[in-house]
Amino acid sequence: VSVGNGMRTLAMYAEAREALTEALELRRKHLPETAPEVWQSELALAQCDGESGDVPRAAARLRAIRAEHDRGQVPEEIALTA
């Protein structure tokens, strides 16, 4: 995620999205679904999508994260506000 976020900071959005997607896939494979790291990756991807101008994709990801949060699947340390 750090590499992806660094690329995002440099406005290298395609590369950042690729790195962040790979990090999310690895985290989903090796960590429980409720692990904070999984949700940090989800949020980083949403932020990358929004910053790159893909607002519909960012919004869809954020809605999915919010739905999981409301179902109690997102750990409390990942704060989402209305």
Side-chain angles (χ1 to χ4, degrees):
V1 173
S2 294
V3 171
N5 284 333
M7 290 176 174
R8 201 183 83 230
T9 301
L10 297 172
M12 299 170 62
Y13 298 117
E15 297 88 346
R17 185 164 215 303
E18 185 177 320
L20 291 168
T21 299
E22 182 179 347
L24 176 60
E25 289 170 356
L26 288 169
R27 286 177 170 185
R28 286 200 180 279
K29 181 177 179 180
H30 297 287
L31 297 172
E33 186 66 22
T34 56
E37 295 86 358
V38 171
W39 297 100
Q40 289 166 349
S41 289
E42 287 280 5
L43 289 169
L45 266 169
Q47 189 172 7
C48 182
D49 289 337
E51 290 174 0
S52 71
D54 194 343
V55 175
R57 186 188 299 203
R61 184 173 294 278
L62 289 171
R63 280 192 296 275
I65 293 168
R66 183 59 188 225
E68 291 299 308
H69 179 270
D70 292 347
R71 288 185 42 231
Q73 298 301 306
V74 179
E76 288 184 24
E77 56 264 34
I78 304 298
L80 297 179
T81 57

